[in-house]
Amino acid sequence: MTRPIRIGLLGCGAIVRTHHVPSLERVPEADVVAVADPDPDARARVARLTQAAAFERADDVLALAEVDAVVIAAPPNMHAELAIAATRSGKHIYVEKPLATTEGDALRILDEVGRSNVNATMGFNRRRHPLNARARELIADGRIGRALIARTAFCEPAEPTEVAAWRRSRSTGGGVLLDLGSHHFDLVRWLLGTEIDVLDAATSSQDSEQDGAWARLSTETGVEVQSLFSSRAAHTDVIEVVGDRGSLRVDRHRAALDLTVRRRARYGVRPAWSRPGKDVYAWRARRLVGRGGDPSYERTLRAFVQRAAGAGVDAPTLEDGLRSLQVVLAAERHADGSSYGAA
């Protein structure tokens, strides 16, 4: 039997405890053997969950010969330094979004990985959510006709006193465009199979820097897109695509995939049935017994582990991370008229 891929976790924040560790525990091909975080309480909590060796410095994990691959989940302003160091150590890398905080840093990561033999995966886990995967199939099958309009909203509220320090400032990777927009910008590209240009954008800062934003976008295929992001508004994660023959609405929190089509003989639209698919059925069934969670993390990390083992598995690339970051940076330039985020 082939031994598991031995994983090091670089960063031990809340997302690692709530999503990465439980997900990797369900991947039999993976074994978390080391964790690193400068916060002693954070690394101790994750070490207890994994029974892994705990270190203050990421370099100590990267120096371990028994570590095959690392998950980089430190604050975004540290992604470039850690990804480059891990690549030079010969470790396969999984980089949480965003890829970096500047385009220059993102390009440095791609250059280093491109000259290496490591496999790299971008942490755009939402692509592997059953609802989004099925939505992409329905759009590709032409169920809504030619896509013309898209609307998205992603809101993750947090009490100001509970926000991690790095999330409060854009310089350390905070702000809803990097945190939330990076996901939806990637999903729009992936769902519609096209690139994005930013037409206009604005940000607001009330409790922390860039805790609200909107963006008006256009795709190369002519789809007009409007997106809203907030860390103050109630939980929302919705993407709606309107075509010339119908519309499709994905609502993650409602576990809903709503398809409507134009009536043939009368005015208006009607609901249309579409088979959700076995993955959506399975996720909904787990939700009914309180075990739904978000399966996209496990699915994406499993793909990363399989790629690290040499399998030709499809997964989001660092190039996808670069394109999403470029949209974020363009939105910031429109919002404040500066070269914010330039290399």
Side-chain angles (χ1 to χ4, degrees), residues 125-139 187 190-191 237-241 248-259 274-287 293-296 299:
N125 56 287
R126 301 294 187 204
R127 290 188 181 195
R128 286 185 173 260
H129 194 289
L131 290 177
N132 293 328
R134 181 59 178 144
R136 188 176 190 238
E137 292 174 349
L138 292 171
I139 293 170
L187 280 176
W190 182 71
L191 288 169
D237 189 358
V238 173
I239 295 180
E240 183 176 15
V241 182
L248 183 66
R249 189 175 192 271
V250 182
D251 188 329
R252 178 169 61 90
H253 291 292
R254 289 181 50 240
L257 188 67
D258 299 322
L259 176 67
S274 64
R275 186 182 299 278
K278 62 181 179 63
D279 291 338
V280 174
Y281 280 132
W283 175 58
R284 286 174 174 170
R286 291 193 298 272
R287 280 170 59 93
D294 188 335
S296 65
R299 290 166 175 264

Side-chain angles (χ1 to χ4, degrees), residues 26-324:
R26 294 189 291 269
V27 179
E29 306 93 338
D31 183 17
V32 177
V33 298
V35 304
D37 196 294
D39 183 336
D41 293 332
R43 68 174 178 267
R45 285 192 292 267
V46 172
R48 284 195 295 270
L49 291 173
T50 61
Q51 304 302 307
F55 300 89
E56 178 180 0
R57 299 170 61 251
D59 286 347
D60 292 331
V61 173
L62 297 178
L64 296 174
E66 59 267 31
V67 171
D68 304 306
V70 295
V71 173
I72 298 172
N77 65 320
M78 300 174 63
H79 286 186
E81 174 189 347
L82 293 174
I84 291 171
T87 300
R88 290 175 178 173
S89 299
K91 316 299 187 190
H92 305 296
I93 60 173
Y94 179 102
V95 186
E96 261 299 340
K97 57 76 195 171
L99 177 59
T101 57
T102 72
E103 185 173 7
D105 277 350
L107 291 172
R108 287 199 302 123
I109 298 172
L110 265 69
D111 180 65
E112 194 69 41
V113 171
R115 292 187 284 108
S116 75
N117 293 318
V118 308
N119 286 313
T121 298
M122 191 67 215
F124 284 141
N125 56 287
R126 301 294 187 204
R127 290 188 181 195
R128 286 185 173 260
H129 194 289
L131 290 177
N132 293 328
R134 181 59 178 144
R136 188 176 190 238
E137 292 174 349
L138 292 171
I139 293 170
D141 288 345
R143 293 298 300 272
I144 64 170
R146 182 168 65 91
L148 298 173
I149 297 170
R151 294 174 291 205
T152 91
F154 195 180
C155 307
E156 287 284 328
E159 292 296 328
T161 56
E162 298 176 358
V163 176
W166 68 264
R167 292 183 181 274
R168 296 178 179 275
S169 172
R170 169 59 176 78
S171 64
T172 48
V176 292
L177 284 171
L178 279 171
D179 189 27
L180 307 178
S182 56
H183 265 313
H184 269 206
F185 296 151
D186 176 69
L187 280 176
V188 169
R189 293 181 59 245
W190 182 71
L191 288 169
L192 301 179
T194 184
E195 297 298 341
I196 301 170
D197 290 319
V198 179
L199 302 179
D200 199 4
T203 61
S204 60
S205 302
Q206 295 188 23
D207 297 323
S208 60
E209 190 175 7
Q210 287 190 19
D211 55 10
W214 64 263
R216 187 164 64 90
L217 319 166
S218 180
T219 72
E220 289 182 345
T221 54
V223 181
E224 298 295 322
V225 185
Q226 294 181 341
S227 293
L228 293 168
F229 309 105
S230 176
S231 60
R232 303 187 305 270
H235 285 100
T236 306
D237 189 358
V238 173
I239 295 180
E240 183 176 15
V241 182
V242 182
D244 57 3
R245 296 210 306 266
S247 66
L248 183 66
R249 189 175 192 271
V250 182
D251 188 329
R252 178 169 61 90
H253 291 292
R254 289 181 50 240
L257 188 67
D258 299 322
L259 176 67
T260 62
V261 297
R262 290 174 56 181
R263 295 182 182 275
R264 293 184 178 180
R266 292 184 293 166
Y267 175 81
V269 297
R270 61 174 177 81
W273 185 84
S274 64
R275 186 182 299 278
K278 62 181 179 63
D279 291 338
V280 174
Y281 280 132
W283 175 58
R284 286 174 174 170
R286 291 193 298 272
R287 280 170 59 93
L288 292 175
V289 296
R291 297 181 180 179
D294 188 335
S296 65
Y297 287 93
E298 178 184 340
R299 290 166 175 264
T300 309
L301 285 165
R302 185 184 299 274
F304 165 61
V305 170
Q306 291 172 340
R307 294 189 75 235
V313 178
D314 180 54
T317 67
L318 299 189
E319 286 77 10
D320 292 320
L322 172 63
R323 287 297 301 120
S324 172

